[in-house]
Amino acid sequence: YLSRLTKRARKIVREAECAIHSGKGKFELAQTQEQALEFTSEIERMHQARWREQGIEGCFTKSEFRNFLKGTIHAMWRDPWRSENAAPQGELLAQSQRVLIGLLRLDGVVASGSICFRDRDTVAMYLVGMNPELSDSRPGWMLNTCFIKHAMEMGCKRFDFLRGDEEYKERLGGVAAAQHRWVVPSNRLTSQVRNA
């Protein structure tokens, strides 16, 4: 993976790994549903703070989004993804978890966090929050490095940064891929007319 990155990106990833190995940075994945929801609250706080800095309302200002996200975490936590090598029924391993929620702390302070989803051999980074006060320490790079490494350790072959052409995605080895958009209108007349 590292050999595919530019020299500058390799240096930043190695610096991120050094910060983790030195103990300055600590990456933690939620181990229980309660912890996952606690981490999500931290991610929400950081995500909103970052958007507020830019004078924009973030997605968490909508209660529908918060309810959707919490409902998704709840449903997916109880329904892990299983491969042939998964643990026996009833035993939940991090390797089989479909929702991965992690926080990165720098010197004990929450610096960044992300909500990711796993589907077979792919981990998709869905939503990220970063503490704006710690942006000079590059917590986003550290978080991405930790999640990519964890995906590899789980045997995943792809890491999907989802939509958007932000520069960091290309620097981390991301390549553009075709997208499909599905529109499924309800049977109500107004929905059918709007869709037509």
Side-chain angles (χ1 to χ4, degrees), residues 123-150:
V123 170
M125 186 170 268
Y126 176 66
L127 194 136
V128 178
M130 188 184 80
N131 186 336
E133 295 171 13
L134 298 174
S135 60
D136 290 344
S137 300
R138 293 189 168 145
W141 278 87
M142 283 187 227
L143 181 76
N144 285 318
T145 299
C146 291
F147 262 115
I148 290 169
K149 188 173 181 178
H150 182 69

Side-chain angles (χ1 to χ4, degrees), residues 35-183:
Q35 192 177 36
L37 293 171
E38 285 173 28
F39 284 14
T40 299
S41 294
E42 289 285 349
I43 293 165
E44 174 183 344
R45 183 184 55 76
M46 291 184 289
H47 190 270
Q48 288 302 103
R50 193 92 191 266
W51 284 114
R52 266 195 304 275
E53 263 190 352
Q54 297 175 24
I56 300 169
E57 280 191 8
C59 55
F60 284 101
T61 56
K62 307 269 190 276
S63 62
E64 295 87 357
F65 178 77
R66 288 195 309 274
N67 293 338
F68 158 76
L69 189 58
K70 287 178 182 170
T72 301
I73 291 167
H74 180 72
M76 291 181 81
W77 199 273
R78 292 182 302 130
D79 183 23
W81 175 84
R82 294 199 180 276
S83 70
E84 313 80 56
N85 304 327
Q89 194 64 26
E91 188 179 328
L92 187 66
L93 290 179
Q95 307 295 60
S96 64
Q97 199 57 43
R98 292 194 310 158
V99 58
L100 305 166
I101 303 176
L103 289 182
L104 176 82
R105 290 182 170 85
L106 292 177
D107 296 321
V109 178
V110 176
S112 59
S114 182
I115 299 167
C116 296
F117 296 103
R118 179 183 183 180
D119 181 36
R120 292 177 285 268
D121 67 347
T122 302
V123 170
M125 186 170 268
Y126 176 66
L127 194 136
V128 178
M130 188 184 80
N131 186 336
E133 295 171 13
L134 298 174
S135 60
D136 290 344
S137 300
R138 293 189 168 145
W141 278 87
M142 283 187 227
L143 181 76
N144 285 318
T145 299
C146 291
F147 262 115
I148 290 169
K149 188 173 181 178
H150 182 69
M152 289 177 184
E153 289 168 356
M154 290 191 303
C156 293
K157 295 180 173 44
R158 282 188 279 285
F159 195 89
D160 192 341
F161 290 107
L162 299 181
R163 283 177 40 189
D165 58 357
E166 293 88 347
E167 189 180 330
Y168 78 89
K169 294 178 181 180
E170 187 178 340
R171 283 192 180 165
L172 282 166
V175 292
Q179 295 181 358
H180 300 279
R181 183 172 181 200
W182 296 84
V183 179

Side-chain angles (χ1 to χ4, degrees), residues 16-37:
E17 286 185 313
C18 285
I20 299 296
H21 293 305
S22 72
K24 175 181 171 59
K26 182 183 176 195
F27 177 65
E28 185 180 5
L29 280 171
Q31 299 299 308
T32 66
Q33 185 177 338
E34 292 73 26
Q35 192 177 36
L37 293 171

